[in-house]
Amino acid sequence: MKILKNYKELSSTVADIVEAQIKEQSKLVLPTGSTPLGLYDELVKRKLDWSLVLTFNLDEYLMNIDHPYSYHSYMKKNLFDRTNIYPNNCHFPFRPTLSFEDKMIKGRGIDLCILGIGSNGHIAFNEPGSTFDSRTRVVDLSLQTLQDNSRFFDSVEDVPKQAITMGLGTIMESKKIVLMVNGTNKLTILNVAMNGEVTEKVPASILQKHNNVEVYYCD
Ligand code: F6R
C-alpha cells in the first residue's frame, strides 16, 4: 500500500497510471462515488486524447439512466462530457449481462481497473456474501450501502434498492487493478481487506489473490 500526502496527490498519482494506459489505447474499468472525483478533474485538466479509449463502468443503479443521480449522469458530468471520448465507447453494465461481459472480455480484455472500497468492504456493488466467481448481475444493495450513498440523494428512501454490477470474478480478470482509498473512516475495512482472511464476507479481500494490484491511500 502506498500512503500519499493528501487527496491531490492521490488523484494525480492515479491519474499518472491512467494516462500511461490511455496512450496505449486501452480498455479501462472506472468507478463512481466521492473518491475518484479528484482523479477525473485531474484527467480532464491534462487534456488527453480519449478517442481510442473504451471505458466500462463498474456499476449502475437500477433507475432511469437520465436521472441526475444515476452513474451515467455522474460520468457524463465529471468525465465524459469534458473529454473527447466517444459516447459509444462508454459502457455501463446492462442486460443481457452476458453481452456486456463479451464486450469487456473481447480482444485484449481489461487493461486497467480502478476501484474504490465501500465501508462494508464492497467493491463495485459486490456486497458482503457475493461469491468470488460472481459475474455481472443485478444485486440488492445492503442497508449499509443505502445509508452510505444516501448522501448523494435527497433521502435514504430515494436511493435505488437494486443495482447492476460487475462481479468479483469479472473484476479479477483485469490485468491491473488500482484501489483508491480516501479517508480515515476507510482504514479499518482496508486493513481487514488487505491483511485479514480472504473471505466472501469481505468482498475486497479477493484482491489479495490478484497478482497486479496497487493500493493508494490518503487521509
Ligand atoms: C462505485 C463503486 C463503489 C464505490 C465505493 C466507495 O462505482 O464501485 O464500490 O467505489 O462505494 O465509494 P466512495 O468513493 O463514494 O466512498
Side-chain angles (χ1 to χ4, degrees), residues 63-145:
M63 73 190 302
N64 178 352
I65 59 172
D66 297 324
H67 190 284
Y69 300 154
S70 75
Y71 287 168
H72 279 75
S73 300
Y74 169 106
M75 289 305 297
K76 273 166 73 67
K77 178 170 162 222
N78 293 302
L79 186 69
F80 299 154
D81 284 355
R82 302 162 75 198
T83 66
N84 68 339
I85 196 162
Y86 292 114
N88 283 350
N89 287 348
C90 305
H91 306 88
F92 288 79
F94 58 87
R95 288 185 278 190
T97 54
L98 265 181
S99 326
F100 173 72
E101 294 232 340
D102 276 354
K103 275 199 175 156
M104 277 179 61
I105 294 160
K106 211 164 79 193
R108 51 198 273 179
I110 295 298
D111 299 282
L112 173 65
C113 171
I114 311 286
L115 296 175
I117 186 170
S119 66
N120 62 358
H122 75 209
I123 47 176
F125 274 143
N126 293 285
E127 301 285 30
S130 301
T131 59
F132 285 153
D133 61 358
S134 52
R135 312 297 309 180
T136 301
R137 69 204 185 286
V138 173
V139 292
D140 294 330
L141 297 178
S142 69
L143 193 59
Q144 182 69 57
T145 298

Side-chain angles (χ1 to χ4, degrees), residues 31-36 58-59 71 116-118 122-124 151-152 186:
T32 57
S34 307
T35 312
L58 284 164
D59 41 21
Y71 287 168
I117 186 170
H122 75 209
I123 47 176
R151 68 189 194 280
F152 299 110
K186 297 273 181 78

Side-chain angles (χ1 to χ4, degrees):
M1 175 166 99
K2 296 201 179 91
I3 300 176
L4 299 165
K5 265 203 316 267
N6 51 40
Y7 184 64
K8 195 171 180 316
E9 202 178 298
L10 173 73
S11 304
S12 63
T13 302
V14 179
D16 290 345
I17 298 170
V18 175
E19 180 171 357
Q21 284 292 338
I22 282 183
K23 285 181 185 148
E24 289 173 24
Q25 310 174 10
S26 56
K27 286 188 173 178
L28 307 180
V29 168
L30 299 176
T32 57
S34 307
T35 312
L37 285 169
L39 164 68
Y40 295 148
D41 275 345
E42 179 62 29
L43 288 170
V44 168
K45 264 195 231 145
R46 294 186 188 191
K47 298 196 188 311
L48 307 172
D49 179 9
W50 290 76
S51 58
L52 294 165
V53 179
L54 297 183
T55 65
F56 295 84
N57 268 81
L58 284 164
D59 41 21
E60 176 58 286
Y61 293 114
L62 281 196
M63 73 190 302
N64 178 352
I65 59 172
D66 297 324
H67 190 284
Y69 300 154
S70 75
Y71 287 168
H72 279 75
S73 300
Y74 169 106
M75 289 305 297
K76 273 166 73 67
K77 178 170 162 222
N78 293 302
L79 186 69
F80 299 154
D81 284 355
R82 302 162 75 198
T83 66
N84 68 339
I85 196 162
Y86 292 114
N88 283 350
N89 287 348
C90 305
H91 306 88
F92 288 79
F94 58 87
R95 288 185 278 190
T97 54
L98 265 181
S99 326
F100 173 72
E101 294 232 340
D102 276 354
K103 275 199 175 156
M104 277 179 61
I105 294 160
K106 211 164 79 193
R108 51 198 273 179
I110 295 298
D111 299 282
L112 173 65
C113 171
I114 311 286
L115 296 175
I117 186 170
S119 66
N120 62 358
H122 75 209
I123 47 176
F125 274 143
N126 293 285
E127 301 285 30
S130 301
T131 59
F132 285 153
D133 61 358
S134 52
R135 312 297 309 180
T136 301
R137 69 204 185 286
V138 173
V139 292
D140 294 330
L141 297 178
S142 69
L143 193 59
Q144 182 69 57
T145 298
L146 295 176
Q147 280 163 357
D148 289 349
N149 288 9
S150 64
R151 68 189 194 280
F152 299 110
F153 290 81
D154 299 330
S155 75
V156 70
E157 287 75 38
D158 290 340
V159 186
K161 308 277 179 296
Q162 287 190 306
I164 182 160
T165 182
M166 277 184 204
L168 295 171
T170 324
I171 289 169
M172 287 294 282
E173 284 165 13
S174 310
K175 296 193 189 84
K176 176 177 176 128
I177 297 179
V178 169
L179 175 61
M180 297 181 78
V181 189
N182 171 217
T184 49
N185 57 324
K186 297 273 181 78
L187 262 184
T188 307
I189 190 63
L190 180 62
N191 184 35
V192 170
M194 293 303 118
N195 305 311
E197 186 195 346
V198 177
T199 163
E200 289 173 350
K201 290 184 200 148
V202 183
S205 65
I206 187 64
L207 298 176
Q208 292 183 38
K209 299 280 183 201
H210 196 282
N211 60 11
N212 191 6
V213 182
E214 290 171 11
V215 182
Y216 295 95
Y217 169 82
C218 76
D219 284 348

